[in-house]
Amino acid sequence: MQYAQIILPLNLKGTFTYKVPEEIQSTIQLGMRVLVPFGGKKIYTGIVFEFHDEEPTQFVAKEVISILDEQPILPLEQIKFWKWLSEYYLCNLGEIYRFAFPSSLKLESETYLKLKPNITVEFENLDVNEMYLIQALEVRQLINLTDIEAFIPKKDIIKTINSLIDLQYIEIDEKIAEKYKAKEVAYVKITDEVLKNNNLTEILLSLKRAQKQKDLFLHILEKQTENPDLHIKKSELFEDGYFASSHFKSLADKNLVEEYYMQRDRIESYEGEIEEVEELTEIQKAAKNEVDEAFEEGRNVLLHGVTSSGKTHIYLEKIEECISEGKNVLFLLPEISLTKQITQRLEKKYGRQLGFYHQKLTDFEKVEIWRRIKNNDVKILIATRNALFLPYLNLGLIVVDEEHDSGYKPREVSPFFNAKDSALVLANFYGANVILGSATPSVESYYLARKEKMKYIFLNERFGNVKLPEFELINFKEAQDSKKVSGNFSLKLIDEIKKTLEEKNQTMILHNRRGYASVLECESCGYVNYCSNCDVVMTYHKAANEMKCHYCGQRASKPKTCPKCYSENLNERGVGVEQIHEEISKIFPDNEVDRMDVDSMRKKFAYEKLYVKIEDGETDIVVGTQMISKGLDFDHIELVAIPKADSMLYVQDFRAEERAYQLITQVSGRAGRVSGKGRILIQTFNPDHSVFQLIKMNNISKIYKYFLTERQKFNYPPFTKLIMIELKHRRDEKVNRASQFLGSVLRKYLPEDCILGPERSQIARLNNLYQFQVMLKLPRGKNYDKFKSLVLLSLKEFDEITAYQSIKKDVFVDF
DNA sequence: AATCAGATACAT
DNA sequence: TGTATCTGATTG
């Protein structure tokens, strides 16, 4: 055990070899964090990945400076998981490390040093640098590695620190634990004294001349008596700006109200009333038994339940079972937004044993969850995909809700991995079970489940026997020909909305395209506005009166005249959701029409406000992008309209039809949840298109059969495995040449029918980088590993060309 | 990622 | 000739 392979938080291939000094050889363990020098003068927090005794021949290994953990921060299961991820997804361990750890757990040169307590330093044995450092520490107690540079030459820093540590004079200060202070939230209440004395009239009289104070007092009193168990947040009082903190202070001074503090998770959680969850229905019970059976056989489950079939109830049952066995649960969601149904009940029952983890937490909040997971204080974690990396001790169940959702494999952030597939692997390492749940499973999962790799459980009935919504196709071509249209809406569709409004019900309109118009085109010269960073036309946003690039986010003001020919006639082409919203508002001027898309929801609490508005029935019609298909469960939505359904289908992507089906089904699930009379109107130029016909029939096994046949016909997943390699560089010509070279190398090893490209990516230039791609279609099964190793070989050969090292290369496995 | 050596560009 | 800037290689 003389040498250790260390993972560094850098996007570099493989691990790095370090010598383990004898005095720490007995304490160092796999999964511990260690400080190591790297490069000229940097110190990084690395992770011990492997031990061995082979002295490296190509270089001289440096020594580990010190160990940062008493116990390994990563359990062995996680080390195995990282290894698997990096091999399967062809990504670097360092990338995984950086993604997995909150930054304060991987401090770099920010690490602090301090003097060991009660030591006597023998200065005569020290060199100049060592003396400087000791003296500095005597004055300052704590010192940062970067600060040391001020008085010790860079090249000597590490040597100096090491020798002082060896002499037992100084030590590394691990301040992380104390750095985090649990946040306390201020709550308010009427003082017990007031409640006891029952002299309200007297009090109100005394506040006669202080109107606001009186109002505030009554406001708090009312809230408190309404529901004595509810805590009233202090910040809540001042939200609408009517009361100010001075009013509260005056009341507090008079001893009428008081504030108290409680520790709360930093993530705001639901504090309202708890809905009693009904017992499982017979159908749900049967499904749950099937889950039990599957788990006993050691198989995972795909729970395919139509919208509102009560998948959540089954999750809850299994979660409680798992916890009562003393194991932990990870509940994965594609994104943390509204997760009410699942949190409500769990929070009441498990309180502080319930945790949340997602990308939007601050670093300290993340560290807190790490600590709580490590101490086994969290029994259930509701989280997004980055929670796969937490140091679970005893994971028993992973639930992947909405498993089809693309949020599980975002293309923007490396490392590129699919959280759903990875969850299955991680669970396997922990000996845990997995439930994948969705109303519209991905074709891949469906196929696996049908091939008995997982247990397939189908819940075909809405909870409480509520009927599924009915689909109707409107032939827009016919409507146009017979002049029965107004703008983008057929008169029939308008009529149906009208009827819904008359019945005091709500309508949702789905149009999955942001902005007002996708292009502004000059009428006389055909000029269109391109983003200056990307080869993409800019979208016109009328509400903000600007042009936006949806890929890099660049914004520009809307041109009044054509910049090329100065014509004033600019045509709007391509309908966006803003335009649909505008049209509907004009058709129904007396009704409340709201818009929900990322642009209108950007303001703080915009989403929450709209949510309440819809819930209270103040909104009659919601127009929105795919956002409206998630998390909006209301009782009075009876109609869902999709005016331009075709736009979802004709996207250059083999998954376009699947996604269209998923989106339409998800959004249709919002309709008629209580009444069972929900209706979905799909307006299309191609009512005969198989996807629309199949959706209308609502025969789920037929739909998936259709998808699978198509996939098989064109050799797409799940019948093959795709790897996409994308090359990017500032210089078009350079990346073009590189991609040609990569193509030729790949063709040397792989059969021709496996390789598509190289070719320009659909977006030829993104953020000023030119992009080329090669798509690989590899066979499944035994041959896959062989083919993949050949891909690896090709990539290695490509990397050896020094001229191409500046080219950024992204590899997407299971594209 | 960060650093450093070497190459290139540019002003004196 | 010296200095600023860029490029590419290397790090254990």
Side-chain angles (χ1 to χ4, degrees), chain A residues 256-291:
Chain A
L256 299 174
V257 297
E258 64 185 353
E259 58 182 339
Y260 59 101
Y261 292 88
M262 280 201 314
Q263 255 190 33
R264 277 227 127 265
D265 243 342
R266 291 193 175 204
I267 175 105
E268 300 297 324
S269 50
Y270 183 77
E271 295 182 20
E273 285 164 56
I274 311 300
E275 271 176 49
E276 274 305 312
V277 175
E278 300 86 347
E279 245 191 69
L280 294 187
T281 62
E282 286 308 312
I283 294 170
Q284 288 171 343
K285 263 185 206 154
K288 204 215 133 223
N289 286 339
E290 283 193 76
V291 179

Side-chain angles (χ1 to χ4, degrees), chain A residues 466-478:
Chain A
V466 171
K467 276 210 312 197
L468 282 164
E470 267 177 37
F471 291 91
E472 194 174 329
L473 300 173
I474 298 174
N475 188 330
F476 199 66
K477 184 81 178 51
E478 261 173 30

Side-chain angles (χ1 to χ4, degrees), chain A residues 649-663:
Chain A
L649 284 180
Y650 303 112
V651 185
Q652 184 66 37
D653 181 346
F654 73 94
R655 278 186 242 269
E657 294 188 349
E658 179 190 354
R659 275 210 298 270
Y661 158 70
Q662 284 162 343
L663 185 52

Side-chain angles (χ1 to χ4, degrees), chain A residues 148-419:
Chain A
I148 299 174
E149 286 179 18
F151 50 85
I152 297 179
K154 280 183 179 175
K155 63 176 170 53
D156 294 333
I157 292 180
I158 289 160
K159 205 181 81 199
T160 310
I161 293 171
N162 272 335
S163 92
L164 286 176
I165 289 177
D166 286 349
L167 289 165
Q168 302 273 312
Y169 288 155
I170 64 168
E171 61 189 358
I172 306 283
D173 186 61
E174 259 309 291
K175 303 209 315 163
I176 299 153
E178 301 94 87
K179 255 188 188 168
Y180 178 80
K181 206 168 164 287
K183 191 191 173 193
E184 293 202 313
V185 177
Y187 295 86
V188 300
K189 64 174 188 178
I190 304 288
T191 52
D192 294 340
E193 212 177 308
V194 173
L195 295 174
K196 205 165 60 205
N197 291 345
N198 205 11
N199 52 351
L200 259 183
T201 1
E202 216 173 286
I203 294 169
L204 290 179
L205 218 61
S206 76
L207 292 172
K208 199 171 62 184
R209 290 180 47 205
Q211 188 59 44
K212 289 238 175 166
Q213 284 182 40
K214 196 171 98 184
D215 288 352
L216 180 58
F217 179 77
L218 286 172
H219 177 76
I220 298 172
L221 187 68
E222 194 184 320
K223 275 208 151 179
Q224 194 169 329
T225 36
E226 202 174 276
N227 186 354
D229 293 333
L230 201 70
H231 300 284
I232 309 162
K233 261 194 232 139
K234 192 180 174 190
S235 57
E236 216 165 75
L237 300 175
F238 314 125
E239 248 166 32
D240 49 13
Y242 181 71
F243 302 116
S245 56
S246 60
H247 304 132
F248 181 85
K249 198 160 177 289
S250 312
L251 287 175
D253 288 344
K254 289 171 192 151
N255 234 343
L256 299 174
V257 297
E258 64 185 353
E259 58 182 339
Y260 59 101
Y261 292 88
M262 280 201 314
Q263 255 190 33
R264 277 227 127 265
D265 243 342
R266 291 193 175 204
I267 175 105
E268 300 297 324
S269 50
Y270 183 77
E271 295 182 20
E273 285 164 56
I274 311 300
E275 271 176 49
E276 274 305 312
V277 175
E278 300 86 347
E279 245 191 69
L280 294 187
T281 62
E282 286 308 312
I283 294 170
Q284 288 171 343
K285 263 185 206 154
K288 204 215 133 223
N289 286 339
E290 283 193 76
V291 179
D292 293 342
E293 269 170 40
F295 284 2
E296 262 160 45
E297 295 166 19
R299 290 164 75 203
N300 295 320
V301 166
L302 173 64
L303 185 57
H304 184 172
V306 297
T307 47
S308 9
S309 57
K311 289 188 293 292
T312 312
H313 287 190
I314 296 170
Y315 299 153
L316 286 170
E317 292 277 329
K318 292 309 292 177
I319 288 172
E320 294 193 8
E321 263 178 45
C322 181
I323 289 167
S324 64
E325 287 165 18
K327 292 181 176 174
N328 302 334
V329 180
L330 171 61
F331 189 102
L332 282 181
L333 289 158
E335 58 188 288
I336 287 273
S337 46
L338 280 181
T339 54
K340 274 194 181 165
Q341 308 96 313
I342 192 78
T343 32
Q344 274 178 34
R345 176 135 169 249
L346 291 174
E347 194 163 53
K348 183 84 171 181
K349 188 151 184 191
Y350 295 101
R352 294 276 296 167
Q353 297 189 316
L354 177 67
F356 297 88
Y357 194 81
H358 53 85
Q359 287 92 330
K360 290 203 173 126
L361 295 180
T362 66
D363 214 61
F364 286 153
E365 289 163 343
K366 287 181 192 163
V367 175
E368 158 98 344
I369 297 287
W370 269 77
R371 273 181 39 216
R372 284 171 58 199
I373 293 274
K374 199 122 196 48
N375 297 336
N376 210 3
D377 292 337
V378 176
K379 298 284 178 246
I380 312 165
L381 192 69
I382 298 179
T384 53
R385 58 191 218 117
N386 56 346
L388 284 173
F389 301 99
L390 290 167
Y392 305 100
L393 298 178
N394 195 9
L395 201 56
L397 173 68
I398 304 180
V399 178
V400 185
D401 197 19
E402 308 292 351
E403 67 88 28
H404 65 279
D405 198 289
S406 61
Y408 286 122
K409 48 164 188 163
R411 276 199 55 186
E412 297 76 33
V413 273
S414 76
F416 307 107
F417 66 98
N418 184 333

Side-chain angles (χ1 to χ4, degrees), chain A residues 436-686:
Chain A
L436 304 180
S438 176
T440 53
S442 63
V443 173
E444 283 85 348
S445 299
Y446 183 88
Y447 177 75
L448 281 181
R450 280 289 144 129
K451 281 200 54 177
E452 309 286 314
K453 302 267 182 191
M454 278 186 277
K455 176 106 176 174
Y456 178 74
I457 301 174
F458 187 38
L459 281 170
N460 195 20
E461 218 172 72
R462 273 184 163 186
F463 183 71
N465 229 340
V466 171
K467 276 210 312 197
L468 282 164
E470 267 177 37
F471 291 91
E472 194 174 329
L473 300 173
I474 298 174
N475 188 330
F476 199 66
K477 184 81 178 51
E478 261 173 30
Q480 264 182 340
D481 291 347
S482 52
K483 304 257 185 288
K484 286 181 179 159
V485 293
S486 159
N488 289 302
F489 296 89
S490 61
L491 296 183
K492 166 145 177 70
L493 182 49
I494 294 171
D495 211 47
E496 292 282 347
I497 298 174
K498 209 175 277 168
K499 258 193 248 164
T500 310
L501 291 171
E502 277 162 12
E503 288 161 8
K504 301 270 176 260
N505 285 319
Q506 293 161 306
T507 300
M508 266 187 178
I509 299 176
L510 172 74
H511 183 67
N512 199 18
R513 191 166 288 178
R514 288 167 58 198
Y516 186 83
S518 29
V519 196
L520 274 190
E521 190 190 47
C522 171
E523 202 176 70
S524 46
C525 75
Y527 175 89
V528 290
N529 218 341
Y530 275 90
C531 171
S532 59
N533 302 326
C534 317
D535 280 353
V536 164
V537 288
M538 293 185 91
T539 304
Y540 172 42
H541 286 245
K542 196 173 186 178
N545 195 33
E546 62 185 8
M547 313 295 292
K548 281 186 197 169
C549 170
H550 288 178
Y551 292 90
C552 74
Q554 199 199 174
R555 305 193 298 193
S557 55
K558 185 207 169 194
K560 285 199 183 67
T561 58
C562 170
K564 215 171 149 194
C565 71
Y566 306 104
S567 156
E568 282 180 19
N569 296 324
L570 297 173
N571 285 333
E572 290 151 4
R573 288 273 168 91
V575 181
V577 66
E578 286 183 23
Q579 201 170 325
I580 297 286
H581 175 252
E582 187 182 270
E583 271 184 54
I584 286 289
S585 307
K586 276 186 188 146
I587 298 171
F588 300 100
D590 302 325
N591 293 97
E592 187 69 15
V593 184
D594 285 304
R595 176 161 69 91
M596 179 180 269
D597 57 36
V598 280
D599 300 291
S600 66
M601 295 295 113
R602 216 178 287 277
K603 273 194 190 157
K604 219 178 175 187
F605 301 122
Y607 186 89
E608 288 76 4
K609 276 183 191 155
L610 185 52
Y611 187 94
V612 173
K613 212 175 150 191
I614 301 169
E615 187 155 52
D616 293 347
E618 284 170 41
T619 297
D620 298 313
I621 303 170
V622 195
V623 182
T625 56
Q626 47 138 17
M627 237 185 171
I628 61 171
S629 68
K630 289 181 191 174
L632 299 177
D633 294 339
F634 302 112
D635 294 350
H636 297 289
I637 293 170
E638 298 295 331
L639 181 66
V640 168
I642 308 171
K644 295 181 84 67
D646 300 323
S647 63
M648 287 188 269
L649 284 180
Y650 303 112
V651 185
Q652 184 66 37
D653 181 346
F654 73 94
R655 278 186 242 269
E657 294 188 349
E658 179 190 354
R659 275 210 298 270
Y661 158 70
Q662 284 162 343
L663 185 52
I664 293 173
T665 309
Q666 293 285 345
V667 77
S668 73
R670 311 297 127 216
R673 292 176 62 90
V674 175
S675 70
K677 289 180 188 158
R679 281 162 56 72
I680 319 300
L681 298 179
I682 301 173
Q683 214 171 241
T684 164
F685 283 102
N686 308 281

